[in-house]
Amino acid sequence: MKFGKQLEAKIADGHNAWTSQQFIDYKKLKKTIKLILSLRANDPRTGFTSLFVDALKKEVLKVSRAYDEATKALSSVIDNLSWKKPTKKESRKARGSNKTWKT
């Protein structure tokens, strides 16, 4: 099975956190290339490279935004899990407990 079909199957089964926003849609880019080739067949002098470049930029920005959002969410979780250095009063209360504090 080709990578693209495996990826589509994983997304479709819903057992993972992947969405279509987290990967580049190579199928869409391939269709854009085919469109350009058919347009060039009609008029070989015309340049349609910008169609592909625009489609590629759109896909890369889509994935970049998804990973930026995931990074922010993960950073937030990490911040919430981090222990803060206790005050002297909190430190006295915590003596004898098994807690370790981040410095």
Side-chain angles (χ1 to χ4, degrees), residues 5-103:
K5 290 187 180 191
Q6 288 176 343
L7 186 57
E8 286 176 2
K10 286 184 179 186
I11 291 169
D13 79 15
H15 286 75
N16 57 37
W18 283 63
T19 69
S20 63
Q21 298 301 310
Q22 294 172 310
F23 70 94
I24 292 176
D25 188 349
Y26 292 102
K27 195 175 199 176
K28 183 188 275 185
L29 294 175
K30 191 174 179 179
K31 286 181 182 180
T32 303
I33 291 171
K34 287 182 180 182
L35 172 66
I36 291 168
L37 292 175
S38 70
L39 292 171
R40 281 191 178 163
N42 295 336
D43 187 4
R45 295 172 292 148
T46 309
F48 293 101
T49 308
S50 64
L51 286 175
F52 179 75
V53 171
D54 291 344
L56 181 60
K57 282 181 184 178
K58 185 178 178 181
E59 289 296 308
V60 170
L61 286 173
K62 173 186 76 171
V63 172
S64 179
R65 276 189 230 108
Y67 281 103
D68 285 344
E69 289 172 15
T71 301
K72 287 177 187 175
L74 184 57
S75 292
S76 176
V77 169
I78 290 170
D79 289 343
N80 289 335
L81 292 174
S82 297
W83 288 92
K84 295 179 182 173
K85 189 171 182 176
T87 63
K88 288 182 181 181
K89 186 176 181 181
E90 291 170 333
S91 184
R92 282 186 225 124
K93 285 183 181 179
R95 284 188 193 148
S97 70
N98 292 336
K99 292 182 180 176
T100 56
W101 300 95
K102 181 180 175 182
T103 56

